[in-house]
Amino acid sequence: MNIIPRFGKNLKNGLFNMTKKYTTPSATPPNPPTTNPSVTPSFSSNIKLPLTNTRKIMCVWAKRYPSLKDVPDHVTPEVWNKVRSVVRIKVANYTMFFIILGCIAMVVTGKRARDRGETIMQRNLDWHQKYSEGKEDTKNIGVFGK
């Protein structure tokens, strides 16, 4: 009995008031924030991250620097995050390309094998025929066989 009044109260106060809480604001804010040019932004920092040789190669591959000689020993976190993002995207794109290339190659080789008459069913029948004939090389085939 106590659940129903609470549920009704939650519906009344919570769900119906969602539209009031999450509506889009008007086009012009009532009080635009004032900006002070003398204040530095909170995201800029004086922290410098050391770069290993691998990270330097990644900076060059992301085209942040023209050569390995031009890459400094320390960079800001903003620069490093940008480099990581670019490298992550490049690796994902190359991976997708090679996966698609592999799929196309598998389709082509499968069609060629079909044209030659090689099927899994035929391989299975050949193996069973060799196994039933009692050849030595097929008797040892198993989980821990040759």
Side-chain angles (χ1 to χ4, degrees):
M1 287 293 191
N2 291 337
I3 294 174
I4 295 172
R6 288 183 192 162
F7 182 68
K9 186 176 179 182
N10 287 340
L11 274 178
K12 180 183 173 194
N13 294 334
L15 295 178
F16 292 128
N17 289 335
M18 277 178 126
T19 55
K20 293 178 185 175
K21 290 180 185 176
Y22 299 109
T23 56
T24 55
S26 62
T28 57
N31 294 326
T34 58
T35 57
N36 188 355
S38 64
V39 176
T40 59
S42 61
F43 58 84
S44 69
S45 62
N46 293 332
I47 299 172
K48 299 284 186 177
L49 299 173
L51 294 179
T52 61
N53 286 335
T54 307
R55 288 184 173 187
K56 287 182 180 182
I57 291 170
M58 289 170 68
C59 288
V60 173
W61 194 44
K63 297 184 180 176
R64 191 71 181 174
Y65 298 100
S67 68
L68 282 175
K69 294 177 184 176
D70 298 333
V71 179
D73 291 333
H74 293 78
V75 294
T76 61
E78 290 83 15
V79 170
W80 177 241
N81 285 337
K82 198 82 150 154
V83 166
R84 278 183 33 203
S85 295
V86 169
V87 168
R88 192 177 297 129
I89 291 169
K90 283 188 173 190
V91 167
N93 288 339
Y94 285 126
T95 303
M96 287 185 283
F97 173 75
F98 285 119
I99 286 174
I100 291 170
L101 196 67
C103 291
I104 292 170
M106 289 178 66
V107 167
V108 168
T109 56
K111 286 186 177 186
R112 287 182 183 168
R114 180 196 61 194
D115 294 341
R116 287 191 306 261
E118 295 177 11
T119 61
I120 293 179
M121 191 166 96
Q122 187 61 41
R123 280 188 184 181
N124 190 13
L125 290 173
D126 291 343
W127 184 83
H128 280 285
Q129 185 179 7
K130 286 180 186 178
Y131 187 77
S132 62
E133 289 173 1
K135 291 187 178 180
E136 291 293 325
D137 58 342
T138 57
K139 287 289 185 184
N140 294 329
I141 294 176
V143 178
F144 300 106
K146 292 181 184 177

